[in-house]
């Protein structure tokens, strides 16, 4: 029997490898400078969430004495040791890049991050006045002494730690000052008129902590600051939710959120690399953290705040991502000549529509579908699942308007969408107040599926129209995530959706569906059947191939089947953006499996599953990855694409990804990744063909 580590890649280490690709992508010369800054910020934001959830979970397991091994044979303690080593290597790489190449290129392009010590007298006077008027009133120094215990340090907050000497008794005291980054910009822009010989297109910034640190003595009358430094903590932020014991799920999630705000255990302490030993020792003791989880930073703490710089209004410094157009079949919706013939419902009765966002505008397709349903007097009911919704959502507004228009509206709001819980709670309350029937799904399962159903009365009978997507009903993220969606009236799929909505609202125990693959009931079984059929076809000398695109591939049963398929001669192409626990191209294991990861300007979010079936192709899109959680612990829906024209479009799209030689990272047999060397700066990505095709 093979060693588990030779068969499976550790999911946490694979995630770190993914985040490494994000960082390295931003370091490529071909990217514009503010796009490089964006990738650097995303890398840090990803890392924060990784520590808050994944590292926190592993630490909790170690503290509970749990030694259960991962699929690759590592204990929680083993994983934490490897994680710390890998992450420290990557953060060192990021900081060296930021302090040298990125900082120099920012200066060349007219974006200067100034240090207080390098300011001219004019600049310093302006900054000091800004501190006095706009920052000083927000600061609250907290001393630590027998009467004042060490203060609570909130998650991801930026803090100043100082040693203050009282002139009267010469005793040093520890003081903590929270940097108010939520109420003030992290990087404060110095007006151009203050800078001598300044070009209008140049931007000058100073970090808020640098300004506070250099004005620290103004906080302590008749006392002297001996030393100061900066630190940041990351806490366990995963919700502990006991659904089965909850009488009111909404209240239970609200209470759990309150606990998160109060803070879980500290899982990482980031400190400035030059932090004085005395301050560091006091922090480690007061926060109760092991030294291996202390990260010494040679650059800014909390580099996700670099995202602020991407808002600089210089189009020449960043890629224009707002490129979408209205889908060709939806272009004539607003023509006044014949509204019945130009309505979205008339169009869908004639033809299914495959949407590819952001190339097909979300606003003029999915939002238009819900908007028209809200206002159409023939529409009787709207049902929809909401997972992550934008704060100013037009879809929410349309649902409320539909309720006002007397339609039956049912929404499932997933309260447990991680880090969107608070936003979803507020939406759930507003929807209920608008008279909408709001449900929260099935106890013990997170509802992750993206489905919408519209019931319309036509010629005395009801007809169902629907949308099934791979991404959220979120107007903002639809501009930056690649996702697919199907608009259709297929009666079998519509019937399945009606059953699924009844299941979600608690009025059905549906376990079988005509066409939809639904987890946790039918999806795993169907995918296993489809893979096994390819194996049988290969063994019988028939055509056999699998192409699958998803965010993550983790499920051990699916991976083992893919290895078996490879051994049987099935050609397998996997397009996995993030975690991949499968080894490709290994002799006697996966010689027929190729894996690529696409990291580009858009977040690759669509899930596509294509099975050759001896040239009688079966194709599916939906919300699920091949992970245990998606197949066994979530409500997911994957729909078949049966229209020949749409299947052909999806196959062409998959081939475009497979042939990409610009954004694609190729996975090697040892689990690492490499990228094609570009022959010239004119060599553009195959992915860019997608826009032209649409």
């Amino acid at each position: 029997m093979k060693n588990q580590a030779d068969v499976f890649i550790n999911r946490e280490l694979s995630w770190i490898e993914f985040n490494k690709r994000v960082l390295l992508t931003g370091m490529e010369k071909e990217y514009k400078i503010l796009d490089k800054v964006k990738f650097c910020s995303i890398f840090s934001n990803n890392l924060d969430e990784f520590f808050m959830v994944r590292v926190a979970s592993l630490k909790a397991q170690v503290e509970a004495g749990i030694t259960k091994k991962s699929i690759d044979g590592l204990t929680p303690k083993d994983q934490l040791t490897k994680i710390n080593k890998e992450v420290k290597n990557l953060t060192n790489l990021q900081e060296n890049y930021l302090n040298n190449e990125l900082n120099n290129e920012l200066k060349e392009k007219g974006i200067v991050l100034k240090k207080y010590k390098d300011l001219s007298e004019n600049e310093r006077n302006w900054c000091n006045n800004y501190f006095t008027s706009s920052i000083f009133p927000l600061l609250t120094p907290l001393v630590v002494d027998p009467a004042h215990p060490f203060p609570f340090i909130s998650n991801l907050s930026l803090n100043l730690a100082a040693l203050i000497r009282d002139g009267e008794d010469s005793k040093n005291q520890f003081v903590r000052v929270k940097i108010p980054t939520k109420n003030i910009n992290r990087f404060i822009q110095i007006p151009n008129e203050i800078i001598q010989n300044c070009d209008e297109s140049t931007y000058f910034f100073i970090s808020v902590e640098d300004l506070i640190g250099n004005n620290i003595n103004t906080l302590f009358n008749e006392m002297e600051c001996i030393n100061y430094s900066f630190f940041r903590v990351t806490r366990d932020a995963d919700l502990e939710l006991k659904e089965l014991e909850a009488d009111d799920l909404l209240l239970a999630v609200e209470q759990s959120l309150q606990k998160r705000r109060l803070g879980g255990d500290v899982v990482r302490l980031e400190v400035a690399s030059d932090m004085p030993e005395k301050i560091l020792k006091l922090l480690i003791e007061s926060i109760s953290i092991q030294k291996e989880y202390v990260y010494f930073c040679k650059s800014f703490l909390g580099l996700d705040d670099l995202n602020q710089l991407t808002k600089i209004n210089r189009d020449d410094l960043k890629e224009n991502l707002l490129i979408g157009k209205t889908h060709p079949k939806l272009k004539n919706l607003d023509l006044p000549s014949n509204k019945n013939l130009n309505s979205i419902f008339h169009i869908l009765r004639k033809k299914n529509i495959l949407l590819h966002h952001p190339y097909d505008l979300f606003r003029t397709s999915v939002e238009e579908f819900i908007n028209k349903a809200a206002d159409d007097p023939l529409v009787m009911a709207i049902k929809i699942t909401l997972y992550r919704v934008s704060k100013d959502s037009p879809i929410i507004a349309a649902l409320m308007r539909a309720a006002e228009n007397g339609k039956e509206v049912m929404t499932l709001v997933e309260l447990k969408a991680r880090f969107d819980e608070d936003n979803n709670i507020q939406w759930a309350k507003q929807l209920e107040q608008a008279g909408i029937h709001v449900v929260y799904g099935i106890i013990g399962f997170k509802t992750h599926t993206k489905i919408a159903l519209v019931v319309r009365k036509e010629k005395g009978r009801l007809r169902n129209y629907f949308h099934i997507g791979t991404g959220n009903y979120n107007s903002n993220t639809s501009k930056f995530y690649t996702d697919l969606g199907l608009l259709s009236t297929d009666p079998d799929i519509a019937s399945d959706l009606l059953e699924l909505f009844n299941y979600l609202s608690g009025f059905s125990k549906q376990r079988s569906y005509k066409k939809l693959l639904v987890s946790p009931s039918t999806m795993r079984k169907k995918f296993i059947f489809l893979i096994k059929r390819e194996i049988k076809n290969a063994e019988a000398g028939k055509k056999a191939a699998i192409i699958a695109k998803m965010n993550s591939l983790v499920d051990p049963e699916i991976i083992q089947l893919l290895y078996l398929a490879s051994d049987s001669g099935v050609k397998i192409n996997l397009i996995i953006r993030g975690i991949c626990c499968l080894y490709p191209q290994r002799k006697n294991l996966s010689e027929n499996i190729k894996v690529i990861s696409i990291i580009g300007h858009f977040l690759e979010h669509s899930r596509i599953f294509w099975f050759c079936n001896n040239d009688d192709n079966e194709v599916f899109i939906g919300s699920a990855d091949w992970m245990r959680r998606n197949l066994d612990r979530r409500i997911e829906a994957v729909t078949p694409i049966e229209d020949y024209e749409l299947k052909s479009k999806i196959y062409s799209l998959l081939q475009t990804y497979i042939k990409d030689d610009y954004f694609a990272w190729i996975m090697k047999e040892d689990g690492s990744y490499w990228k094609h060397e570009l022959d010239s700066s004119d060599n553009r990505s195959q992915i860019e063909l997608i826009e032209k095709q649409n």
Side-chain angles (χ1 to χ4, degrees):
M1 183 178 174
K2 287 181 180 287
N3 188 311
Q4 290 290 85
D6 294 327
V7 179
F8 299 111
I9 299 171
N10 181 270
R11 69 160 285 166
E12 316 303 350
L13 298 180
S14 180
W15 182 91
I16 291 171
E17 186 73 28
F18 155 66
N19 210 31
K20 177 182 178 181
R21 296 195 296 280
V22 172
L23 177 62
L24 293 178
T25 295
M27 292 168 63
E28 292 175 24
K29 292 179 182 178
E30 288 73 20
Y31 280 83
K32 294 183 178 181
I33 183 62
L34 292 184
D35 291 322
K36 294 181 180 184
V37 171
K38 177 186 75 173
F39 279 109
C40 200
S41 168
I42 291 171
F43 170 84
S44 293
N45 185 69
N46 286 348
L47 208 53
D48 287 344
E49 290 194 9
F50 180 69
F51 270 87
M52 286 190 286
V53 179
R54 303 303 304 178
V55 173
S57 173
L58 288 169
K59 281 197 74 180
Q61 290 176 50
V62 170
E63 287 161 12
I66 295 171
T67 57
K68 183 180 178 181
K69 293 183 178 180
S70 55
I71 58 172
D72 60 315
L74 294 178
T75 65
K77 180 65 176 172
D78 294 335
Q79 293 179 72
L80 285 172
T81 300
K82 287 179 176 287
I83 286 168
N84 269 323
K85 180 183 176 183
E86 293 297 324
V87 171
K88 285 180 178 178
N89 287 339
L90 281 182
T91 51
N92 284 336
L93 174 65
Q94 181 193 31
E95 289 171 351
N96 289 333
Y97 170 67
L98 175 63
N99 292 341
N100 298 296
E101 294 171 54
L102 188 62
N103 197 33
N104 290 337
E105 192 175 345
L106 281 167
K107 282 181 185 175
E108 289 172 13
K109 300 296 184 182
I111 300 170
V112 183
L113 303 178
K114 289 206 162 216
K115 296 280 189 184
Y116 186 88
K117 61 184 177 61
D118 299 326
L119 297 176
S120 68
E121 185 178 353
N122 251 5
E123 294 161 4
R124 190 168 294 191
N125 287 338
W126 183 90
C127 287
N128 291 343
N129 287 334
Y130 184 88
F131 169 82
T132 303
S133 62
S134 301
I135 301 177
F136 179 79
L138 303 175
L139 302 179
T140 306
L142 298 174
V143 69
V144 176
D145 60 23
H148 302 88
F150 191 87
F152 175 78
I153 310 298
S154 54
N155 186 34
L156 302 182
S157 63
L158 184 61
N159 303 271
L160 181 148
L163 290 176
I164 306 299
R165 178 185 294 140
D166 189 331
E168 294 180 3
D169 57 14
S170 298
K171 182 180 178 182
N172 291 350
Q173 289 182 299
F174 178 86
V175 174
R176 174 259 188 161
V177 181
K178 183 176 180 179
I179 309 294
T181 52
K182 287 187 178 178
N183 298 309
I184 201 163
N185 283 336
R186 175 74 183 275
F187 298 100
I188 299 161
Q189 187 173 355
I190 303 171
N192 285 24
E193 55 265 28
I194 303 299
I195 314 291
Q196 285 187 343
N197 303 319
C198 173
D199 188 287
E200 284 185 6
S201 62
T202 304
Y203 295 78
F204 296 88
F205 296 93
I206 183 171
S207 73
V208 65
E209 67 268 27
D210 191 15
L211 185 50
I212 291 172
N214 281 281
N215 281 271
I216 191 70
N217 281 313
T218 61
L219 293 171
F220 310 106
N221 287 328
E222 299 180 9
M223 289 184 277
E224 179 189 3
C225 178
I226 307 300
N227 263 318
Y228 72 85
S229 193
F230 301 99
F231 71 96
R232 183 176 185 259
V233 302
T234 311
R235 293 183 176 274
D236 180 351
D238 211 12
L239 285 185
E240 183 183 352
L241 188 63
K242 297 177 180 177
E243 288 184 68
L244 293 174
E245 299 172 18
D247 295 323
D248 184 331
L249 185 58
L250 186 71
L251 181 61
V253 174
E254 284 185 303
Q255 290 171 345
S256 295
L257 278 174
Q258 186 60 31
K259 288 180 183 177
R260 177 196 280 173
R261 292 186 192 103
L262 293 173
D265 294 338
V266 175
V267 294
R268 178 178 57 168
L269 171 62
E270 297 170 278
V271 300
S273 57
D274 59 355
M275 176 174 276
E277 186 65 32
K278 192 170 182 180
I279 295 178
L280 177 61
K281 186 178 178 184
L282 195 149
L283 278 177
I284 290 174
E285 289 174 355
S286 302
I287 291 172
S288 299
I289 193 167
Q290 302 96 321
K291 287 187 178 178
E292 60 260 39
Y293 298 106
V294 178
Y295 282 69
F296 294 92
C297 303
K298 301 189 292 275
S299 183
F300 299 107
L301 298 174
L303 286 172
D304 58 316
D305 286 337
L306 286 171
N307 189 53
Q308 180 194 329
L309 300 180
T310 67
K311 295 176 173 60
I312 289 173
N313 191 22
R314 285 272 304 275
D315 292 339
D316 59 315
L317 300 184
K318 54 189 169 184
E319 200 75 23
N320 176 21
L321 301 184
L322 301 178
I323 60 173
K325 299 175 183 175
T326 297
H327 189 286
K329 289 190 169 55
L330 300 176
K331 278 185 176 177
N332 298 325
L333 285 184
D334 294 324
L335 288 180
S337 56
N338 190 329
K339 290 202 170 182
N340 289 328
L341 293 179
N342 293 327
S343 79
I344 193 167
F345 304 111
H346 174 78
I347 291 168
L348 291 180
R349 285 197 298 276
K350 293 171 61 179
K351 199 81 172 172
N352 296 331
I353 293 178
L354 180 72
L355 301 168
H356 188 196
H357 310 299
Y359 310 102
D360 295 320
L361 283 172
F362 186 80
R363 176 175 53 82
T364 58
S365 55
V366 179
E367 282 182 14
E368 184 71 4
F369 176 58
I370 303 299
N371 269 315
K372 285 290 189 282
D375 298 327
D376 188 325
L378 297 182
V379 168
M380 304 288 104
I382 303 173
K383 303 184 181 190
I384 191 170
T385 58
L386 302 175
Y387 189 73
R388 298 188 195 278
V389 187
S390 51
K391 290 188 177 179
D392 52 350
S393 171
I395 284 182
I396 295 281
L399 294 173
M400 291 180 175
R401 196 168 70 252
E404 289 172 9
N405 290 338
K407 304 179 192 311
E408 294 295 324
V409 183
M410 175 263 195
T411 64
L412 182 138
V413 179
E414 179 46 74
L415 299 179
K416 304 183 293 296
R418 184 176 288 140
F419 302 123
D420 271 323
E421 299 97 341
D422 209 357
N423 188 44
N424 287 359
I425 285 171
Q426 300 312 314
W427 278 133
K429 290 178 177 178
Q430 288 187 43
L431 289 166
E432 285 182 333
Q433 288 169 4
I436 293 171
H437 182 48
V438 180
V439 298
Y440 307 124
I442 308 300
I443 290 176
F445 296 92
K446 187 180 284 190
T447 304
H448 189 248
T449 185
K450 326 313 182 173
I451 53 177
L453 182 72
V454 171
V455 182
R456 192 169 188 259
K457 191 171 185 178
E458 298 173 0
K459 296 180 180 178
R461 67 184 186 91
L462 297 180
R463 187 194 292 269
N464 300 308
Y465 299 80
F466 62 84
H467 172 266
I468 300 176
T470 68
N472 301 309
Y473 292 110
N474 188 307
S475 308
N476 293 333
T477 58
S478 70
K479 299 168 187 172
F480 309 110
Y481 290 16
T482 67
D483 273 304
L484 295 177
L486 175 68
L487 284 168
S488 175
T489 62
D490 183 295
D492 288 338
I493 297 176
S495 174
D496 283 346
L497 287 173
L498 281 169
E499 294 288 357
L500 181 53
F501 275 112
N502 286 340
Y503 172 64
L504 291 172
S505 61
F507 294 108
S508 168
K509 297 191 181 295
Q510 188 75 8
R511 291 291 181 269
S512 62
Y513 298 87
K514 296 174 184 175
K515 289 184 178 179
L516 278 186
L517 313 189
V518 177
S519 67
S521 53
T522 65
M523 190 179 294
R524 176 185 288 279
K525 189 184 296 183
K526 180 66 173 182
F527 277 133
I528 288 171
F529 165 79
L530 292 166
I531 297 170
K532 285 184 174 179
R533 188 177 63 189
E534 295 302 318
I535 293 172
K536 286 181 182 177
N537 285 341
E539 291 173 343
K542 298 177 181 178
K543 291 183 180 179
I546 297 170
I547 308 173
K549 180 180 182 292
M550 64 197 90
N551 293 345
S552 299
L553 171 58
V554 177
D555 187 78
E557 186 178 15
I558 295 287
I559 290 173
Q560 289 281 25
L561 261 181
L562 292 173
Y563 286 148
L564 184 59
S566 170
D567 191 52
S568 301
V570 181
K571 300 294 181 184
I572 302 171
N573 278 285
L574 302 174
I575 306 153
I576 315 292
R577 185 193 78 208
I579 303 167
C580 180
C581 294
L582 168 151
Y583 285 107
Q585 305 277 275
R586 283 204 165 183
K587 193 172 182 181
N588 299 324
L589 180 70
S590 56
E591 294 173 66
N592 287 309
I593 302 177
K594 293 180 180 178
V595 178
I596 63 169
S597 171
I598 303 288
I599 308 289
H601 290 295
F602 298 116
L603 183 74
E604 289 298 330
H605 194 250
S606 55
R607 287 87 162 187
I608 309 170
F609 308 95
W610 180 92
F611 300 90
C612 173
N613 191 29
N614 196 32
D615 277 344
D616 186 13
N617 307 155
E618 285 204 51
V619 183
F620 302 84
I621 65 168
S623 57
D625 294 313
W626 281 347
M627 301 178 75
R628 277 174 171 163
R629 71 183 188 191
N630 299 91
L631 299 174
D632 301 331
R633 302 193 302 273
R634 287 184 172 186
I635 310 295
E636 304 272 16
V638 167
T639 182
I641 302 294
E642 298 176 319
D643 183 298
Y644 178 79
E645 181 186 342
L646 301 189
K647 283 203 287 189
S648 298
K649 282 187 176 180
I650 289 177
Y651 181 75
S652 296
L653 174 61
L654 290 171
Q655 291 303 313
T656 303
Y657 282 115
I658 290 168
K659 293 173 184 175
D660 179 79
D661 60 0
Y662 189 79
F663 289 127
W665 293 76
I666 294 93
M667 190 177 187
K668 298 192 289 187
E669 63 178 71
D670 64 352
S672 62
Y673 290 75
W674 68 279
K675 226 182 164 187
H676 286 290
E677 290 293 325
L678 299 178
D679 296 327
S680 73
S681 60
D682 295 328
N683 185 10
R684 301 307 293 164
S685 170
Q686 290 282 329
I687 299 297
E688 294 181 4
L689 294 174
I690 298 169
E691 183 184 354
K692 294 175 184 176
Q693 291 169 359
N694 282 277

